[in-house]
Amino acid sequence: MKKLLLTVSLLLFCGLLQAQQPQHTEYVFLITWDGMRWQEVFTGADPQLIAHPDYVSDTAQLKELFWRNTPEERRKTLLPFFWEVIARKGQLYGNRQEGSLVNVTNVHWFSYPGYNEILSGYGDERIDSNEKKLNPNQTVLEFVNNQPAFKGKVAAFGSWDVFPYIIHEERSGIPVNAGYDTATDTRLTDMEKALNTLQPLLPGHWSSVRMDAFTHYYAWEYLKKKTPSLIYIAYGETDDFAHDGSYEQYMKSAYRTDQFIQELWNWVQSQKKYKDKTTFIITTDHGRGTEPLDTWRSHGDEVKGADEIWMAVIGPDTPTMQAVSTQGQYYQNQVAATIAAFLGLEYRPEHETGAVLKQAFK
Ligand SMILES: [Zn+2]
């Protein structure tokens, strides 16, 4: 009996040690990539689309850039940072061909419902349009910003001009630079001045979504100056190029976004403050169709497969996907609680949320 007690208490003690293992993450980058399909993330260029005359004007060039003989080579060519760095040092979720499934839980399968689900942790049926309506739900960004230790240390940058409403900029107190916003700080860097000059001079390709390069460099300048604890960067081009029906622009934009994320990661790992203390969580608001073929351009609840998404995690507390399997079923509503958990917080909003992504922690 004594032996048994000793064993039990030893086990309890070890359990306690495990639960209290210190986390290294102090900073979180949430990055979204509007309407990027899991099909391209995990298999690269689509053989049915890359030479399709309706969707590609210069097939020779696009093939030279992104066509390779195997899906493994194609994905690495399209997204080198994902496949050479995240796949080796972090985790990718959503490879449906290998039994890793990620779905949205909202019933609408388009942007605002998806961003609300990512940010609030709740697939809210009431969020049923992309209109500029203030989000009734508190987001995890607002929750974190309301914690004394994180007050004023949260910021958001987006290409789409609806983000100030999704994040409820006024109520949350989180600065949101989105759409065609410029940098308005009292002390502007040379880069911010250049971006502010150029952005209104370039022909706007879409009225409500700017080119991602502006979002990216505005965010980066802010990072250098203010070093926030939690930053949200929302790239938007891929979705709009897909709606335009341009597979070549969709692919080229996907490649650039991977490079942007790599640039941020390399910078983070070169900064004493952020190095080995920063976790990136990367995901998308919705999927797109595959069958019939032209549904790749679109999404929404009538498009088969538009609820299928993917996620990526890399950081000092996340085991590699070689060490911990990412097979199983996961949901978009798990992102918010997971962000809070990386910051050592328990996200408890008024509504129900998805569970913390346990596999993403050592
Ligand atoms: Zn869309």
Side-chain angles (χ1 to χ4, degrees), residues 175-203:
V176 184
N177 178 314
Y180 289 90
D181 284 348
T182 53
T184 54
D185 207 8
T186 44
R187 189 177 52 88
L188 294 177
T189 65
D190 287 345
M191 177 60 131
E192 285 172 326
K193 286 179 194 164
L195 294 169
N196 282 358
T197 304
L198 284 174
Q199 188 173 244
L201 295 178
L202 297 175

Side-chain angles (χ1 to χ4, degrees), residues 30-63:
L30 169 65
I31 296 168
T32 57
W33 192 328
D34 202 306
M36 177 70 185
R37 294 197 305 178
W38 67 264
Q39 287 87 346
E40 275 83 18
V41 173
F42 292 99
T43 64
D46 186 321
Q48 288 189 284
L49 293 173
I50 194 159
H52 198 293
D54 292 350
Y55 307 130
V56 180
S57 56
D58 189 342
T59 54
Q61 186 210 40
L62 198 63
K63 280 192 162 180

Side-chain angles (χ1 to χ4, degrees), residues 12-288:
L12 277 173
F13 182 64
C14 293
L16 213 66
L17 272 186
Q18 224 172 24
Q20 287 178 343
Q21 201 173 34
Q23 267 186 212
H24 302 280
T25 300
E26 294 174 31
Y27 307 96
V28 171
F29 284 43
L30 169 65
I31 296 168
T32 57
W33 192 328
D34 202 306
M36 177 70 185
R37 294 197 305 178
W38 67 264
Q39 287 87 346
E40 275 83 18
V41 173
F42 292 99
T43 64
D46 186 321
Q48 288 189 284
L49 293 173
I50 194 159
H52 198 293
D54 292 350
Y55 307 130
V56 180
S57 56
D58 189 342
T59 54
Q61 186 210 40
L62 198 63
K63 280 192 162 180
E64 196 185 320
L65 286 173
F66 300 122
W67 185 256
R68 302 293 182 269
N69 286 330
T70 67
E72 290 75 20
E73 288 172 281
R74 291 202 290 276
R75 68 193 186 191
K76 198 188 274 190
T77 308
L78 179 65
L79 309 176
F81 178 65
F82 266 50
W83 288 101
E84 281 161 22
V85 180
I86 302 180
R88 284 170 47 210
K89 297 182 181 169
Q91 300 179 334
L92 292 164
Y93 295 81
N95 190 350
R96 302 185 92 84
Q97 293 170 341
E98 292 189 1
S100 179
L101 316 176
V102 191
N103 289 74
V104 307
T105 70
N106 74 76
V107 295
H108 303 299
W109 310 359
F110 58 86
S111 287
Y112 196 150
Y115 290 119
N116 169 66
E117 181 169 341
I118 292 167
L119 293 170
S120 78
Y122 171 45
D124 188 346
E125 220 171 298
R126 296 173 300 171
I127 310 287
D128 61 358
S129 94
N130 275 343
E131 284 168 28
K132 289 177 175 167
K133 291 184 185 164
L134 290 169
N135 194 345
N137 300 312
Q138 191 192 51
T139 68
V140 70
L141 306 178
E142 185 173 348
F143 167 80
V144 171
N145 193 51
N146 283 343
Q147 309 304 312
F150 293 98
K151 196 81 202 162
K153 294 182 179 171
V154 183
F157 291 79
S159 295
W160 190 30
D161 66 3
V162 183
F163 280 107
Y165 299 82
I166 300 172
I167 295 165
H168 206 318
E169 187 169 15
E170 206 184 316
R171 184 191 63 212
S172 66
I174 295 164
V176 184
N177 178 314
Y180 289 90
D181 284 348
T182 53
T184 54
D185 207 8
T186 44
R187 189 177 52 88
L188 294 177
T189 65
D190 287 345
M191 177 60 131
E192 285 172 326
K193 286 179 194 164
L195 294 169
N196 282 358
T197 304
L198 284 174
Q199 188 173 244
L201 295 178
L202 297 175
H205 194 73
W206 306 289
S207 60
S208 62
V209 178
R210 68 177 162 201
M211 291 292 143
D212 286 333
F214 286 94
T215 301
H216 176 70
Y217 288 106
Y218 275 130
W220 197 3
E221 290 302 292
Y222 186 91
L223 276 164
K224 291 177 198 165
K225 273 201 286 193
K226 308 260 168 100
T227 58
S229 299
L230 171 58
I231 190 164
Y232 174 34
I233 305 173
Y235 299 105
E237 279 173 17
T238 35
D239 186 64
D240 287 274
F241 281 129
H243 285 300
D244 288 350
S246 175
Y247 195 65
E248 61 198 315
Q249 291 298 345
Y250 168 82
M251 293 293 278
K252 288 177 181 178
S253 176
Y255 176 80
R256 284 195 299 270
T257 305
D258 176 84
Q259 297 294 289
F260 286 153
I261 300 170
Q262 165 133 49
E263 207 166 40
L264 290 175
W265 181 255
N266 290 349
W267 178 78
V268 156
Q269 292 301 85
S270 76
Q271 299 298 304
K272 198 164 172 272
K273 177 164 176 161
Y274 284 116
K275 185 180 164 54
D276 297 331
K277 289 178 251 171
T278 305
T279 292
F280 279 21
I281 302 178
I282 311 163
T283 188
T284 184
D285 52 337
H286 54 72
R288 338 186 62 81

